[in-house]
Short mmCIF file of all heavy atoms in Angstrom, two decimals:
data_model
loop_
_atom_site.label_atom_id
_atom_site.label_comp_id
_atom_site.label_asym_id
_atom_site.label_seq_id
_atom_site.Cartn_x
_atom_site.Cartn_y
_atom_site.Cartn_z
N VAL A 1 -5.78 -2.35 -51.62
CA VAL A 1 -6.87 -1.59 -51.01
C VAL A 1 -7.69 -2.56 -50.20
O VAL A 1 -8.19 -3.58 -50.71
CB VAL A 1 -7.72 -0.92 -52.13
CG1 VAL A 1 -8.94 -0.21 -51.49
CG2 VAL A 1 -6.91 0.05 -52.95
N THR A 2 -7.89 -2.28 -48.89
CA THR A 2 -8.63 -3.23 -48.05
C THR A 2 -10.13 -3.08 -48.27
O THR A 2 -10.59 -2.04 -48.80
CB THR A 2 -8.30 -2.90 -46.57
OG1 THR A 2 -8.78 -1.57 -46.26
CG2 THR A 2 -6.82 -2.95 -46.30
N ASP A 3 -10.85 -4.05 -47.83
CA ASP A 3 -12.33 -4.00 -47.98
C ASP A 3 -12.89 -2.83 -47.13
O ASP A 3 -13.92 -2.25 -47.48
CB ASP A 3 -12.94 -5.36 -47.47
CG ASP A 3 -12.67 -6.46 -48.47
OD1 ASP A 3 -12.41 -6.16 -49.64
OD2 ASP A 3 -12.74 -7.65 -48.06
N LYS A 4 -12.23 -2.59 -45.99
CA LYS A 4 -12.68 -1.47 -45.16
C LYS A 4 -12.51 -0.15 -45.87
O LYS A 4 -13.46 0.68 -45.84
CB LYS A 4 -11.85 -1.43 -43.86
CG LYS A 4 -12.30 -0.41 -42.87
CD LYS A 4 -11.48 -0.48 -41.56
CE LYS A 4 -11.95 0.55 -40.56
NZ LYS A 4 -11.19 0.52 -39.30
N GLU A 5 -11.41 0.02 -46.55
CA GLU A 5 -11.23 1.29 -47.34
C GLU A 5 -12.21 1.37 -48.48
O GLU A 5 -12.76 2.50 -48.74
CB GLU A 5 -9.82 1.30 -47.91
CG GLU A 5 -8.69 1.52 -46.86
CD GLU A 5 -7.30 1.36 -47.46
OE1 GLU A 5 -7.13 0.43 -48.29
OE2 GLU A 5 -6.41 2.07 -47.00
N LEU A 6 -12.51 0.26 -49.11
CA LEU A 6 -13.48 0.22 -50.18
C LEU A 6 -14.89 0.62 -49.66
O LEU A 6 -15.65 1.37 -50.28
CB LEU A 6 -13.52 -1.16 -50.82
CG LEU A 6 -12.77 -1.27 -52.15
CD1 LEU A 6 -12.63 -2.71 -52.51
CD2 LEU A 6 -13.42 -0.53 -53.27
N LYS A 7 -15.26 0.05 -48.55
CA LYS A 7 -16.54 0.32 -47.91
C LYS A 7 -16.71 1.80 -47.67
O LYS A 7 -17.78 2.40 -47.97
CB LYS A 7 -16.69 -0.47 -46.62
CG LYS A 7 -18.09 -0.33 -46.00
CD LYS A 7 -18.17 -1.13 -44.69
CE LYS A 7 -19.54 -0.92 -44.04
NZ LYS A 7 -19.66 -1.67 -42.77
N VAL A 8 -15.67 2.47 -47.12
CA VAL A 8 -15.74 3.90 -46.84
C VAL A 8 -15.90 4.71 -48.15
O VAL A 8 -16.72 5.64 -48.26
CB VAL A 8 -14.42 4.33 -46.12
CG1 VAL A 8 -14.38 5.86 -46.01
CG2 VAL A 8 -14.39 3.72 -44.73
N GLU A 9 -15.18 4.26 -49.19
CA GLU A 9 -15.27 4.93 -50.49
C GLU A 9 -16.64 4.82 -51.10
O GLU A 9 -17.20 5.79 -51.66
CB GLU A 9 -14.19 4.40 -51.45
CG GLU A 9 -14.17 5.07 -52.80
CD GLU A 9 -13.65 6.48 -52.76
OE1 GLU A 9 -13.13 6.91 -51.68
OE2 GLU A 9 -13.76 7.20 -53.76
N VAL A 10 -17.21 3.65 -51.00
CA VAL A 10 -18.59 3.42 -51.54
C VAL A 10 -19.57 4.29 -50.77
O VAL A 10 -20.47 4.89 -51.34
CB VAL A 10 -18.98 1.89 -51.41
CG1 VAL A 10 -20.48 1.73 -51.68
CG2 VAL A 10 -18.15 1.06 -52.36
N GLU A 11 -19.42 4.40 -49.46
CA GLU A 11 -20.30 5.19 -48.66
C GLU A 11 -20.15 6.69 -49.04
O GLU A 11 -21.17 7.45 -49.09
CB GLU A 11 -20.00 5.08 -47.15
CG GLU A 11 -20.42 3.74 -46.59
CD GLU A 11 -19.96 3.48 -45.16
OE1 GLU A 11 -19.16 4.33 -44.67
OE2 GLU A 11 -20.38 2.44 -44.55
N ASN A 12 -18.96 7.15 -49.35
CA ASN A 12 -18.74 8.51 -49.81
C ASN A 12 -19.42 8.80 -51.17
O ASN A 12 -19.95 9.85 -51.40
CB ASN A 12 -17.22 8.80 -49.91
CG ASN A 12 -16.56 8.94 -48.60
OD1 ASN A 12 -17.21 9.19 -47.58
ND2 ASN A 12 -15.26 8.64 -48.56
N ILE A 13 -19.34 7.78 -52.04
CA ILE A 13 -19.98 7.88 -53.35
C ILE A 13 -21.51 7.97 -53.16
O ILE A 13 -22.14 8.85 -53.77
CB ILE A 13 -19.62 6.70 -54.24
CG1 ILE A 13 -18.13 6.75 -54.61
CG2 ILE A 13 -20.51 6.69 -55.51
CD1 ILE A 13 -17.63 5.49 -55.36
N LEU A 14 -22.06 7.11 -52.35
CA LEU A 14 -23.51 7.10 -52.18
C LEU A 14 -24.04 8.41 -51.51
O LEU A 14 -25.14 8.81 -51.78
CB LEU A 14 -23.93 5.88 -51.35
CG LEU A 14 -23.62 4.50 -51.90
CD1 LEU A 14 -24.02 3.41 -50.92
CD2 LEU A 14 -24.31 4.31 -53.23
N ALA A 15 -23.18 8.98 -50.68
CA ALA A 15 -23.57 10.21 -49.97
C ALA A 15 -23.83 11.37 -50.89
O ALA A 15 -24.52 12.36 -50.55
CB ALA A 15 -22.54 10.57 -48.95
N ASN A 16 -23.33 11.24 -52.15
CA ASN A 16 -23.55 12.34 -53.10
C ASN A 16 -24.89 12.31 -53.83
O ASN A 16 -25.22 13.22 -54.57
CB ASN A 16 -22.42 12.32 -54.18
CG ASN A 16 -21.10 12.66 -53.60
OD1 ASN A 16 -20.96 13.56 -52.77
ND2 ASN A 16 -20.05 11.95 -53.99
N TYR A 17 -25.67 11.28 -53.54
CA TYR A 17 -26.93 11.10 -54.25
C TYR A 17 -28.11 11.12 -53.30
O TYR A 17 -28.05 10.46 -52.23
CB TYR A 17 -26.96 9.81 -55.04
CG TYR A 17 -25.86 9.78 -56.14
CD1 TYR A 17 -24.60 9.29 -55.87
CD2 TYR A 17 -26.11 10.27 -57.42
CE1 TYR A 17 -23.58 9.31 -56.82
CE2 TYR A 17 -25.15 10.31 -58.38
CZ TYR A 17 -23.86 9.78 -58.07
OH TYR A 17 -22.91 9.79 -59.05
N GLY A 18 -29.17 11.85 -53.64
CA GLY A 18 -30.32 11.94 -52.77
C GLY A 18 -31.48 11.06 -53.27
O GLY A 18 -32.39 10.70 -52.52
N SER A 19 -31.53 10.80 -54.53
CA SER A 19 -32.58 9.99 -55.13
C SER A 19 -32.55 8.53 -54.66
O SER A 19 -31.52 7.87 -54.75
CB SER A 19 -32.50 10.00 -56.66
OG SER A 19 -33.36 9.07 -57.23
N LYS A 20 -33.67 8.06 -54.14
CA LYS A 20 -33.74 6.64 -53.67
C LYS A 20 -33.56 5.66 -54.78
O LYS A 20 -32.87 4.63 -54.60
CB LYS A 20 -35.09 6.42 -52.98
CG LYS A 20 -35.25 7.18 -51.63
CD LYS A 20 -36.65 6.88 -51.01
CE LYS A 20 -36.77 7.63 -49.71
NZ LYS A 20 -38.09 7.36 -49.04
N ASP A 21 -34.04 5.98 -55.96
CA ASP A 21 -33.87 5.04 -57.10
C ASP A 21 -32.45 4.92 -57.52
O ASP A 21 -31.96 3.84 -57.76
CB ASP A 21 -34.74 5.57 -58.28
CG ASP A 21 -36.24 5.41 -58.03
OD1 ASP A 21 -36.61 4.60 -57.17
OD2 ASP A 21 -37.01 6.10 -58.66
N VAL A 22 -31.78 6.12 -57.57
CA VAL A 22 -30.35 6.14 -57.97
C VAL A 22 -29.53 5.37 -56.91
O VAL A 22 -28.65 4.55 -57.24
CB VAL A 22 -29.84 7.57 -58.10
CG1 VAL A 22 -28.30 7.56 -58.38
CG2 VAL A 22 -30.51 8.29 -59.27
N LEU A 23 -29.82 5.59 -55.65
CA LEU A 23 -29.10 4.94 -54.56
C LEU A 23 -29.28 3.41 -54.62
O LEU A 23 -28.31 2.67 -54.45
CB LEU A 23 -29.58 5.44 -53.20
CG LEU A 23 -29.04 6.84 -52.75
CD1 LEU A 23 -29.75 7.34 -51.51
CD2 LEU A 23 -27.53 6.76 -52.48
N ALA A 24 -30.52 3.02 -54.90
CA ALA A 24 -30.78 1.57 -55.03
C ALA A 24 -29.94 0.93 -56.15
O ALA A 24 -29.40 -0.14 -55.99
CB ALA A 24 -32.25 1.33 -55.28
N ARG A 25 -29.89 1.63 -57.28
CA ARG A 25 -29.12 1.08 -58.43
C ARG A 25 -27.61 1.04 -58.07
O ARG A 25 -26.93 0.06 -58.48
CB ARG A 25 -29.37 1.90 -59.68
CG ARG A 25 -30.78 1.72 -60.27
CD ARG A 25 -30.79 2.23 -61.71
NE ARG A 25 -30.57 3.65 -61.77
CZ ARG A 25 -31.57 4.57 -61.73
NH1 ARG A 25 -32.84 4.20 -61.51
NH2 ARG A 25 -31.30 5.84 -61.85
N LEU A 26 -27.16 2.12 -57.47
CA LEU A 26 -25.71 2.13 -57.14
C LEU A 26 -25.33 1.02 -56.12
O LEU A 26 -24.26 0.42 -56.24
CB LEU A 26 -25.35 3.50 -56.55
CG LEU A 26 -25.28 4.65 -57.55
CD1 LEU A 26 -25.08 5.98 -56.86
CD2 LEU A 26 -24.17 4.42 -58.60
N LYS A 27 -26.23 0.81 -55.15
CA LYS A 27 -25.93 -0.24 -54.17
C LYS A 27 -25.86 -1.60 -54.80
O LYS A 27 -25.12 -2.49 -54.34
CB LYS A 27 -27.05 -0.20 -53.09
CG LYS A 27 -26.90 0.91 -52.07
CD LYS A 27 -28.03 0.93 -51.07
CE LYS A 27 -27.92 2.10 -50.10
NZ LYS A 27 -29.01 2.16 -49.12
N GLU A 28 -26.59 -1.79 -55.88
CA GLU A 28 -26.57 -3.09 -56.59
C GLU A 28 -25.23 -3.21 -57.40
O GLU A 28 -24.73 -4.32 -57.56
CB GLU A 28 -27.74 -3.14 -57.59
CG GLU A 28 -29.08 -3.38 -56.90
CD GLU A 28 -30.23 -3.38 -57.89
OE1 GLU A 28 -29.97 -3.28 -59.15
OE2 GLU A 28 -31.36 -3.53 -57.47
N LEU A 29 -24.69 -2.05 -57.81
CA LEU A 29 -23.45 -2.05 -58.61
C LEU A 29 -22.21 -2.35 -57.70
O LEU A 29 -21.35 -3.13 -58.07
CB LEU A 29 -23.25 -0.74 -59.33
CG LEU A 29 -24.20 -0.43 -60.47
CD1 LEU A 29 -23.95 0.95 -61.08
CD2 LEU A 29 -24.10 -1.47 -61.58
N TYR A 30 -22.20 -1.69 -56.56
CA TYR A 30 -21.04 -1.74 -55.70
C TYR A 30 -21.21 -2.87 -54.67
O TYR A 30 -21.33 -2.63 -53.46
CB TYR A 30 -20.75 -0.36 -55.03
CG TYR A 30 -20.31 0.64 -56.01
CD1 TYR A 30 -21.11 1.77 -56.28
CD2 TYR A 30 -19.10 0.53 -56.68
CE1 TYR A 30 -20.74 2.74 -57.22
CE2 TYR A 30 -18.71 1.52 -57.60
CZ TYR A 30 -19.52 2.57 -57.86
OH TYR A 30 -19.11 3.54 -58.76
N VAL A 31 -21.12 -4.12 -55.15
CA VAL A 31 -21.23 -5.28 -54.30
C VAL A 31 -19.92 -6.02 -54.43
O VAL A 31 -19.36 -6.18 -55.54
CB VAL A 31 -22.41 -6.19 -54.78
CG1 VAL A 31 -22.40 -7.46 -53.97
CG2 VAL A 31 -23.72 -5.46 -54.65
N PRO A 32 -19.29 -6.49 -53.29
CA PRO A 32 -18.03 -7.22 -53.37
C PRO A 32 -18.00 -8.33 -54.43
O PRO A 32 -18.97 -9.09 -54.51
CB PRO A 32 -17.92 -7.79 -51.95
CG PRO A 32 -18.64 -6.82 -51.14
CD PRO A 32 -19.76 -6.36 -51.92
N GLY A 33 -16.97 -8.29 -55.24
CA GLY A 33 -16.87 -9.34 -56.33
C GLY A 33 -17.45 -8.85 -57.66
O GLY A 33 -17.13 -9.39 -58.72
N ASN A 34 -18.34 -7.79 -57.55
CA ASN A 34 -18.94 -7.26 -58.78
C ASN A 34 -17.89 -6.52 -59.62
O ASN A 34 -16.90 -5.99 -59.10
CB ASN A 34 -20.08 -6.27 -58.34
CG ASN A 34 -20.82 -5.74 -59.49
OD1 ASN A 34 -20.31 -4.90 -60.26
ND2 ASN A 34 -22.06 -6.17 -59.65
N LYS A 35 -18.14 -6.45 -60.90
CA LYS A 35 -17.19 -5.79 -61.83
C LYS A 35 -16.93 -4.36 -61.39
O LYS A 35 -15.76 -3.91 -61.34
CB LYS A 35 -17.76 -5.84 -63.22
CG LYS A 35 -17.09 -4.92 -64.23
CD LYS A 35 -17.86 -4.88 -65.55
CE LYS A 35 -17.33 -3.83 -66.47
NZ LYS A 35 -18.11 -3.65 -67.70
N TYR A 36 -17.99 -3.61 -61.06
CA TYR A 36 -17.81 -2.20 -60.72
C TYR A 36 -17.08 -2.03 -59.39
O TYR A 36 -16.30 -1.10 -59.22
CB TYR A 36 -19.20 -1.49 -60.63
CG TYR A 36 -19.91 -1.50 -61.97
CD1 TYR A 36 -20.82 -2.47 -62.30
CD2 TYR A 36 -19.67 -0.49 -62.94
CE1 TYR A 36 -21.51 -2.48 -63.50
CE2 TYR A 36 -20.31 -0.44 -64.15
CZ TYR A 36 -21.22 -1.44 -64.44
OH TYR A 36 -21.81 -1.41 -65.66
N TYR A 37 -17.35 -2.94 -58.51
CA TYR A 37 -16.63 -2.94 -57.19
C TYR A 37 -15.16 -3.14 -57.34
O TYR A 37 -14.37 -2.45 -56.76
CB TYR A 37 -17.27 -4.05 -56.34
CG TYR A 37 -16.84 -4.04 -54.91
CD1 TYR A 37 -17.47 -3.25 -53.95
CD2 TYR A 37 -15.81 -4.91 -54.44
CE1 TYR A 37 -17.10 -3.26 -52.60
CE2 TYR A 37 -15.48 -4.94 -53.10
CZ TYR A 37 -16.09 -4.10 -52.17
OH TYR A 37 -15.68 -4.13 -50.87
N GLU A 38 -14.83 -4.12 -58.20
CA GLU A 38 -13.40 -4.41 -58.41
C GLU A 38 -12.70 -3.32 -59.23
O GLU A 38 -11.51 -3.01 -59.03
CB GLU A 38 -13.24 -5.73 -59.10
CG GLU A 38 -13.67 -6.92 -58.23
CD GLU A 38 -13.06 -6.91 -56.86
OE1 GLU A 38 -11.83 -6.64 -56.74
OE2 GLU A 38 -13.82 -7.22 -55.88
N GLU A 39 -13.45 -2.67 -60.14
CA GLU A 39 -12.88 -1.53 -60.90
C GLU A 39 -12.59 -0.38 -59.95
O GLU A 39 -11.61 0.32 -60.10
CB GLU A 39 -13.81 -1.09 -62.02
CG GLU A 39 -13.82 -2.02 -63.22
CD GLU A 39 -14.86 -1.58 -64.28
OE1 GLU A 39 -15.62 -0.65 -64.03
OE2 GLU A 39 -14.83 -2.19 -65.39
N LEU A 40 -13.50 -0.16 -59.00
CA LEU A 40 -13.34 0.88 -57.98
C LEU A 40 -12.08 0.56 -57.14
O LEU A 40 -11.25 1.43 -56.82
CB LEU A 40 -14.51 0.98 -57.08
CG LEU A 40 -14.47 2.04 -55.93
CD1 LEU A 40 -14.27 3.42 -56.48
CD2 LEU A 40 -15.73 1.98 -55.06
N ARG A 41 -11.88 -0.70 -56.75
CA ARG A 41 -10.71 -1.13 -56.03
C ARG A 41 -9.44 -0.79 -56.78
O ARG A 41 -8.45 -0.29 -56.21
CB ARG A 41 -10.79 -2.63 -55.71
CG ARG A 41 -9.63 -3.11 -54.78
CD ARG A 41 -9.52 -4.60 -54.78
NE ARG A 41 -10.72 -5.29 -54.26
CZ ARG A 41 -10.91 -5.52 -52.97
NH1 ARG A 41 -10.02 -5.13 -52.10
NH2 ARG A 41 -12.05 -6.13 -52.57
N GLN A 42 -9.46 -1.06 -58.10
CA GLN A 42 -8.29 -0.79 -58.93
C GLN A 42 -7.97 0.70 -59.03
O GLN A 42 -6.81 1.15 -58.91
CB GLN A 42 -8.49 -1.34 -60.33
CG GLN A 42 -7.30 -1.33 -61.20
CD GLN A 42 -7.50 -1.93 -62.56
OE1 GLN A 42 -8.45 -1.60 -63.25
NE2 GLN A 42 -6.60 -2.77 -62.99
N ARG A 43 -9.05 1.50 -59.17
CA ARG A 43 -8.80 2.97 -59.26
C ARG A 43 -8.25 3.50 -57.93
O ARG A 43 -7.41 4.34 -57.91
CB ARG A 43 -10.18 3.70 -59.56
CG ARG A 43 -10.67 3.49 -60.97
CD ARG A 43 -11.68 4.54 -61.35
NE ARG A 43 -12.85 4.53 -60.48
CZ ARG A 43 -13.91 3.76 -60.65
NH1 ARG A 43 -13.95 2.90 -61.72
NH2 ARG A 43 -14.95 3.83 -59.85
N MET A 44 -8.78 2.94 -56.81
CA MET A 44 -8.28 3.36 -55.51
C MET A 44 -6.82 2.99 -55.34
O MET A 44 -6.02 3.71 -54.71
CB MET A 44 -9.12 2.80 -54.41
CG MET A 44 -10.51 3.39 -54.27
SD MET A 44 -11.52 2.66 -52.99
CE MET A 44 -10.60 3.17 -51.52
N ALA A 45 -6.47 1.79 -55.87
CA ALA A 45 -5.04 1.30 -55.75
C ALA A 45 -4.13 2.29 -56.52
O ALA A 45 -3.03 2.65 -56.01
CB ALA A 45 -4.94 -0.06 -56.33
#
């Protein structure tokens, strides 16, 4: 799974949330190299 594909998937996930607080927390989770980011990569694979 390329970084470009991951970026699109993260953007799709964030688009489902309207709360600024929730969005801020999610943006902190989905950072390249982060555990959640790599788990998302694995699920996409």
Side-chain angles (χ1 to χ4, degrees):
V1 176
T2 66
D3 289 338
K4 185 178 180 181
E5 289 172 321
L6 260 168
K7 184 180 178 182
V8 171
E9 183 68 11
V10 170
E11 287 173 353
N12 289 336
I13 292 171
L14 297 179
N16 292 319
Y17 298 90
S19 168
K20 291 182 180 179
D21 291 338
V22 173
L23 282 170
R25 287 198 296 271
L26 286 174
K27 285 178 180 178
E28 289 177 1
L29 291 178
Y30 293 113
V31 176
N34 184 289
K35 169 188 169 186
Y36 296 95
Y37 188 83
E38 294 309 317
E39 285 178 352
L40 178 61
R41 186 194 296 274
Q42 188 178 49
R43 288 198 301 273
M44 289 179 67

